[in-house]
Amino acid sequence: MQASFRGTYNDGRTAVAHGCAVTLLADALSLQLDSGAALWWPYGTLTLVSDDRAAGRVVVAPDAASDERLRVVGDGALEALTSAVPRLSGHRTTRGFGRSAMVAAAIVAVLAAFWFGYPVIKDGLVAVFPPSWSDRIGREMTADQALFGEPCTGAAGLAALDDLTRRLSANAGLPEPVRVHVRSSDQVNAFAATGGHVVLLNGLIRQAKTSDEVAGVLAHEIGHVKHRHPLKRLIDVAGIQVFVSAISGDVGAVGTTLLMLNYGRRHEAQADRTALDLMGGAGIDVGGLADFFDRMEENTRNRGTFIPFLETHPPLAERSAAIRAHSGNGSVAPALTNNEWQALREVCAGARKPSLQVLPRPLTSS
Ligand SMILES: [Zn+2]
């Protein structure tokens, strides 16, 4: 099977067609534009726009709401694309379907009826979503070593991080326990997946000046876990596909969808507020999170660095000001001792870096 081919990309706002190299990854399409930009479209939301097989031409979009388009021409490219994403060819994958296929289909149909007929039921779906599915999807979302690098295993660093996580989440009233993973990527990023899985990338730990800053980011991600934002957004973006995938056992299709979730103003503000509560409860000064936001904003402005975690609304300056208003909450000690902090900074020693340098969200959207 052809794993890479040429295509034509259009950003949906101008008429310019960009040549690009398209690579089929395990769960996403990578588009390397000839201009140098990189895009990354998870299979979970990839949408067929038009399909003229007689002419050997297919047009896809990153998701149903997007105006961006990728056009591929040629039988080899078509065949590769549809075998990577069977949904596009009209043939559903049968992997994971067994004797219970009819039952599963019936459940999906009922859920779909609720879904499309009663959007307000969505919160109910989040509430009854089986924890084992949530966990499975979360594991899948965070598994990609080519993207995030190897798991970091420094024992002392992980112990310090686990202890910090316990202190922050002690009285958080979380719907599911938080499990924090560190991966070796140099990207300054962190995210919460479903099932309470939180990933910190080593680039974020290395970029932080104090353990309070890491504690702030961690508290923010725990805030997303508390409010079940990953599952809510996943259901928003991938819709019924989440249920189909979970039932069929083929969660890869929706797994990395999470990486393109950005939460929007309401969810970010909610996670920030929870972070303040959790840090206050753990006796950690919230100023660390504000410091981190400020420095990242400066980096982004000066170098034009694209940092998905920070591509947020409201803007970072506004968020850090709101946080700073709560600073000076009487903390006496940093989040970690010196020894713990040094151990955390070395937690990824020896872990292999990711092989891919692709961006989870299109540059064109910023
Ligand atoms: Zn967030």
Side-chain angles (χ1 to χ4, degrees):
M1 188 184 84
Q2 198 174 348
S4 65
F5 43 85
R6 297 286 303 171
T8 310
Y9 167 81
N10 177 268
D11 69 8
R13 290 179 301 186
T14 66
V16 182
H18 303 266
C20 64
V22 182
T23 307
L24 296 164
L25 308 177
D27 6 11
L29 280 184
S30 156
L31 281 63
Q32 287 286 342
L33 305 196
D34 295 345
S35 61
L39 310 179
W40 188 83
W41 293 0
Y43 295 150
T45 53
L46 201 65
T47 303
L48 187 64
V49 177
S50 72
D51 178 2
D52 182 1
R53 255 156 244 263
R57 184 172 59 220
V58 160
V59 180
V60 293
D63 60 73
S66 174
D67 294 326
E68 293 171 88
R69 296 290 182 263
L70 170 70
R71 170 189 298 224
V72 298
V73 178
D75 287 343
L78 267 180
E79 189 188 311
L81 189 58
T82 52
S83 76
V85 194
R87 192 162 45 80
L88 297 183
S89 68
H91 301 296
R92 173 154 296 289
T93 175
T94 54
R95 178 149 73 98
F97 275 95
R99 284 173 301 171
S100 58
M102 290 303 289
V103 176
I107 293 171
V108 169
V110 170
L111 289 173
F114 275 100
W115 175 260
F116 293 112
Y118 307 98
V120 73
I121 297 291
K122 197 169 59 188
D123 279 353
L125 293 181
V126 169
V128 302
F129 200 82
S132 62
W133 293 5
S134 198
D135 176 58
R136 194 153 46 132
I137 294 172
R139 285 178 194 282
E140 187 72 33
M141 284 169 176
T142 54
D144 196 332
Q145 296 205 6
L147 202 55
F148 306 127
E150 269 187 337
C152 300
T153 55
L158 290 182
L161 191 60
D162 283 347
D163 184 55
L164 178 60
T165 305
R166 251 194 313 277
R167 280 151 55 209
L168 285 170
S169 53
N171 297 305
L174 300 180
E176 50 208 347
V178 174
R179 284 157 288 189
V180 181
H181 315 270
V182 185
R183 305 293 287 273
S184 67
S185 167
D186 290 328
Q187 270 197 51
V188 182
N189 208 346
F191 61 91
T194 61
H197 295 279
V198 169
V199 172
L200 297 183
L201 298 183
N202 192 42
L204 185 140
I205 294 172
R206 301 297 305 184
Q207 179 79 223
K209 284 222 163 38
T210 66
S211 59
D212 283 5
E213 295 185 10
V214 173
V217 173
L218 180 57
H220 173 90
E221 297 306 330
I222 295 174
H224 284 309
V225 171
K226 178 180 166 77
H227 302 291
R228 306 204 73 176
H229 291 160
L231 185 58
K232 287 177 182 167
R233 280 297 285 146
L234 192 58
I235 291 176
D236 273 345
V237 172
I240 205 67
Q241 179 70 22
V242 176
F243 293 92
V244 174
S245 298
I247 290 170
S248 70
D250 187 11
V251 296
V254 294
T256 40
T257 301
L258 189 81
L259 296 172
M260 57 186 286
L261 303 186
N262 60 344
Y263 288 118
R265 176 176 285 262
R266 196 168 62 87
H267 284 177
E268 289 306 335
Q270 209 173 18
D272 280 351
R273 266 198 308 278
T274 298
L276 295 180
D277 290 344
L278 300 186
M279 294 175 84
I284 298 167
D285 192 333
V286 299
L289 183 57
D291 290 345
F292 189 80
F293 281 167
D294 283 346
R295 204 170 55 256
M296 290 305 101
E297 204 232 8
E298 210 178 294
N299 286 355
T300 310
R301 213 177 32 230
N302 293 345
R303 296 190 215 142
T305 319
F306 179 76
I307 303 169
F309 168 66
L310 299 162
E311 197 209 23
T312 61
H313 307 276
L316 286 167
E318 198 180 307
R319 289 171 69 184
S320 85
I323 291 163
R324 236 177 255 294
H326 293 264
S327 191
N329 56 355
S331 81
V332 287
L336 297 177
T337 66
N338 268 339
N339 284 347
E340 287 173 328
W341 177 224
Q342 284 318 312
L344 183 56
R345 290 180 62 78
E346 299 305 321
V347 71
C348 290
R352 228 187 2 258
K353 301 277 189 197
S355 53
L356 288 169
Q357 289 295 332
V358 293
L359 299 172
R361 283 177 53 76
L363 281 164
T364 48
S365 74
S366 57

